Amino acid sequence: MKFKALLSVALLSATMAYGQADPTIMTINGQPVSRSEFEYSYNKNNTDGVIDRKSVDEYVPLFVNYKLKVQAALDAHLDTLPAFRKEFLGYRNQQIRPAFITDADVEDEARKIYRDTKQQIDANGGLWHCAHILIGMGQHTSKEEEAAARQLADSIYTALQRGADFANLAKRYSTDTSSAKNGGDLPRLQKGQTVAEFEKAMLTLKPGETSRPMLSPFGYHIIRMIGHESLPPYDSLRADIMQYIEMRGLRDQIINQRLDSLVQAGGKDITQEQILDRKLAELEEKDADLKHLIREYHDGLLMVEMSNRTVWDKVAKDETALEAYFRKHRKQYKWAEPRFKGIAYHVKKKADVDAVKECVKGLPFSKWAERLRNTFNKDGNIRIRVEKGIFRKGDNALIDREVFGQKATVAPVEGYPIDAVFGKKIKAPEELDDVRDLVISNCQEELEKSWVAALRRKYKVVIDKAVLSTVNRH
């Protein structure tokens, strides 16, 4: 009996600790992190296609470092900054707002658009289905050109009277290219939708009739009346209306109207922000992945901003620190083979070969591009084509041939027949700019390690290994 009682207590304790639906897997500075949050992050970042896939144990320190940076950002109150609030709430609301609209709401809007359109068209007398052949004329057409256009239009009309095919003549002669490819067929027209001259002629025609050539501001038209219609049935236009709803952003308008209605119904004590907060809590209760997605975005924004301030931007903008780092670690930036520090360039005139060299001689390498641009390529007159940099063998065919003595085929640059190079071979980087990107990266990496070490000293991290062992690896 005593054994059974002890076993029951043990099982109850285990259930209390680890039998929760979503137990705490770790605490960061006393703040709990759920197992589901860790699982979401682990499985998202360690799918089958990831090259450097981690085990759960290997992923833990990476996740902890991420959460430590988030905690540092929270302590710095970065989550209260207006820029952060605007970006985060914009993303959050983007995830929530679709929950305030249903397919039925969109269908109702589509039917309303159809009813309103039909009512307007019916009030205007319906739709006219026409085709036309346009012999176009510009604003500054001469009398001779107008006479020629009129003569062509008359000839086409005569051919039609003798039985010629309207569609074929439209494709051949009409200058309205959008309708010509369809045999002159125009979109359905209602009153007030086209120029007065065209409309007046159109309204005199009966189905099957063809107008004589008539003049509008666009040129001479020959109009064929195909028929007089009402708006087609809703079902035949539904796809087009749905596309219109998406293109015009009408879903957002419906959501805005719904939110405004909820605010009005709630009285003075409720805001749209509170309604969105409640909806988020409701959605997260049903969808854990949504909860973790929004938290990930929130924490990710904070982590990036904190990292920018502490490491990335701080290093990139600290010229003194970069220079000091380069001098201290100069030996680690040696190259296996010499490189060429200079320019490969192409000119139109032989005199410009030496002119380019004289232009940059004695200048710091970082100022060459600006000096060359201001001297040779200004006011729209491009005298030289230049590629500047620190080149290895294989980077540039002209440099391979002229500097490294390689057999290389140099593609000619059209309009710039003379090729030249200027600069010098260097065995190792001479200055920070020669390896700036690499120095920045190394310096950031070193500062990142120091920062993370400081965060680990500052914030207490407690990991429940028993819960960690239950992580679901997808």
Side-chain angles (χ1 to χ4, degrees), residues 355-373:
V356 166
K357 297 176 183 179
E358 289 299 322
C359 178
V360 298
K361 189 178 294 184
L363 271 182
F365 189 59
S366 61
K367 297 186 181 298
W368 283 22
E370 182 180 5
R371 175 65 66 83
L372 290 171
R373 183 170 54 252

Side-chain angles (χ1 to χ4, degrees), residues 439-464:
V439 171
I440 289 175
S441 177
N442 293 154
C443 197
Q444 286 172 336
E445 185 178 351
E446 187 174 289
L447 185 56
E448 169 99 1
K449 289 178 180 177
S450 299
W451 180 39
V452 169
L455 292 177
R456 284 184 172 269
R457 290 192 297 271
K458 180 178 180 179
Y459 299 122
K460 186 177 180 180
V461 178
V462 179
I463 298 172
D464 192 324

Side-chain angles (χ1 to χ4, degrees), residues 7-76:
L7 180 60
S8 297
V9 171
L11 289 172
L12 179 61
S13 299
T15 301
M16 290 175 64
Y18 308 118
Q20 306 167 46
D22 193 11
T24 295
I25 198 168
M26 65 180 70
T27 58
I28 308 286
N29 194 38
Q31 298 299 313
V33 177
S34 67
R35 179 178 62 190
S36 65
E37 181 185 350
F38 178 84
E39 280 181 346
Y40 174 85
S41 180
Y42 173 76
N43 288 313
K44 183 175 181 178
N45 290 289
N46 290 278
T47 59
D48 291 338
V50 173
I51 297 174
D52 188 20
R53 194 175 181 185
K54 306 291 186 185
S55 67
V56 170
D57 288 339
E58 289 171 332
Y59 189 70
V60 167
L62 301 177
F63 183 81
V64 168
N65 291 347
Y66 165 72
K67 297 298 283 187
L68 288 171
K69 294 171 187 176
V70 174
Q71 185 61 51
L74 291 170
D75 284 355

Side-chain angles (χ1 to χ4, degrees), residues 133-196:
I133 298 171
L134 172 65
I135 308 303
M137 295 188 298
Q139 291 181 342
H140 306 292
T141 301
S142 66
K143 290 183 178 180
E144 291 78 8
E145 290 170 331
E146 182 177 349
R150 174 69 198 218
Q151 184 178 0
L152 177 57
D154 286 340
S155 298
I156 293 171
Y157 179 74
T158 299
L160 290 170
Q161 294 298 101
R162 293 174 178 173
D165 184 75
F166 189 96
N168 287 339
L169 290 176
K171 290 176 182 178
R172 183 175 179 183
Y173 292 107
S174 181
T175 56
D176 177 8
T177 54
S178 60
S179 68
K181 62 186 178 183
N182 297 316
D185 196 48
L186 292 167
R188 297 335 186 239
L189 298 171
Q190 56 180 307
K191 286 181 181 178
Q193 204 170 5
T194 184
V195 293

Side-chain angles (χ1 to χ4, degrees), residues 314-330:
K314 181 179 180 180
V315 167
K317 294 175 181 177
D318 191 341
E319 199 68 18
T320 301
L322 290 173
E323 285 285 0
Y325 189 92
F326 173 70
R327 288 195 299 271
K328 182 178 179 181
H329 301 88
R330 182 190 291 266

